[in-house]
Amino acid sequence: MTAHDPSAFIAPITEEDIADYLLQTPGFFERHAELLTNVQIISPHGHRAVSLQERQSERLRAKITDLEQRILEMVHNGQQNMLIDERLHQWACDLQRISHPMSLPEAVVQGIRRQFEVPQAAMRLWSVAPPYANAPFAQGASNDVRAFASSLTMPFCGPNLGFEPLGWLRDGDMVQSLALLPLRDGPMERATPAFGLLVLASDDPHRFEATMGTDFLTRIAETASAALSRLR
C-alpha cells in the first residue's frame, strides 16, 4: 500500500456504525429476515445460544411479567385504600352518633384502634369548655407539647424518640414507631393554634415511617378535630 492509496484513509467500521445503520435502515431485517433465526446470541437464562428472534421474545416476556406484577401491586394498593376509606367512613359515622360530648375523646381513640388496627392511641386536649376542663383528657399536656402541636402542619411519623406524648399511653416503653397528629379547626396544613394532639403508636418499627404517605392520617386528624370541636 502506497502513501497515495485512498484506502489508507478509510476508518474501520465500528459497532456504533453498524448500530446507527440498522437504526436508520428499518427495512434491513425485512429484506434479510433469515438473520433473525441464523444469528445466535447467548441467552441470560441458562447461557444457551438462541436466535435474535427468540432473544427478543424473551425480553418481551420479561417486560410483560414486570408489567403484570406492577398491575397486581396497583390493584392490591387500590383495594387496601378502598378498605381504609370504608373504615374511615364508618368511624366518622360512629362519631356522629355520640350524643354526649364527654364520651367523644374515648370514642375517637377506641375507634381508631378498632377500625385501623392501631395497637395504642391516646390524646390530650386543651382550651376546652369549662364543663370539661377537669376531665382526664384535658390534663397533662405541657406548654412544650402544645407549642409543638401548633407547629405541625402535617402528621409527624417516625421512630420512638422519647416524645412526651408517649407518657399518655399504657405501654409507652413498647413503642417503636408513632404518628403525632395535631388537632385544630379547619385543614391541618393551616398554621392556626392546635387545641389537641393525637398520638398513634405501634411496636412495629415500620408501621409509622417518615417516608410514608400521610393522606389518610391527615383525614383521621381532621375528622377527629371536627368531632372534638363540640368540647370547646
Side-chain angles (χ1 to χ4, degrees):
M1 181 182 300
T2 66
H4 301 288
D5 188 345
S7 63
F9 301 98
I10 299 177
I13 297 177
T14 65
E15 292 183 357
E16 288 75 14
D17 293 331
I18 297 173
D20 288 340
Y21 172 78
L22 294 176
L23 288 174
Q24 297 173 17
T25 315
F28 178 84
F29 283 110
E30 294 179 3
R31 296 189 296 273
H32 303 278
E34 69 281 359
L35 292 176
L36 294 175
T37 55
N38 292 339
V39 175
Q40 301 289 306
I41 59 176
I42 299 299
S43 170
H45 307 291
H47 301 289
R48 60 189 179 86
V50 298
S51 66
L52 284 173
Q53 196 170 22
E54 186 174 353
R55 178 70 182 97
Q56 184 66 15
S57 296
E58 289 179 350
R59 294 183 64 183
L60 288 174
R61 283 194 294 270
K63 288 184 179 180
I64 291 172
T65 300
D66 182 61
L67 289 174
E68 289 176 342
Q69 183 62 36
R70 293 185 183 183
I71 291 172
L72 289 175
E73 291 176 357
M74 291 174 61
V75 170
H76 174 73
N77 291 337
Q79 292 173 338
Q80 289 297 107
N81 287 341
M82 287 182 61
L83 179 60
I84 294 175
D85 195 58
E86 290 175 1
R87 291 178 175 178
L88 182 64
H89 174 72
Q90 182 61 53
W91 175 60
C93 290
D94 291 342
L95 294 180
Q96 290 293 322
R97 298 187 184 100
I98 301 295
S99 57
H100 301 293
M102 184 71 80
S103 302
L104 278 169
E106 184 67 12
V108 167
V109 169
Q110 294 304 323
I112 288 173
R113 295 185 61 184
R114 181 178 64 256
Q115 293 288 357
F116 308 112
E117 300 177 350
V118 176
Q120 296 192 69
M123 75 164 65
R124 290 294 185 271
L125 304 176
W126 47 90
S127 301
V128 296
Y132 315 113
N134 295 321
F137 56 76
Q139 309 298 317
S142 69
N143 289 333
D144 288 341
V145 165
R146 299 182 185 198
F148 175 71
S150 293
S151 71
L152 292 175
T153 54
M154 63 180 295
F156 172 90
C157 300
N160 180 358
L161 299 177
F163 291 100
E164 180 183 322
L166 291 174
W168 308 343
L169 302 169
R170 177 175 298 179
D171 297 310
D173 57 338
M174 302 294 292
V175 174
Q176 295 295 315
S177 64
L178 75 163
L180 299 173
L181 314 181
L183 303 173
R184 59 165 48 94
D185 293 324
M188 182 185 292
E189 67 268 15
R190 184 181 298 168
T192 55
F195 65 82
L197 184 66
L198 179 61
V199 54
L200 314 182
S202 173
D203 56 1
D204 179 357
H206 304 295
R207 177 66 186 273
F208 300 108
E209 296 184 304
T211 57
M212 68 182 294
T214 58
D215 288 347
F216 279 115
L217 290 176
T218 297
R219 293 177 66 185
I220 286 174
E222 292 178 351
T223 301
S225 296
L228 294 166
S229 64
R230 295 167 58 188
L231 295 166
R232 304 193 65 201

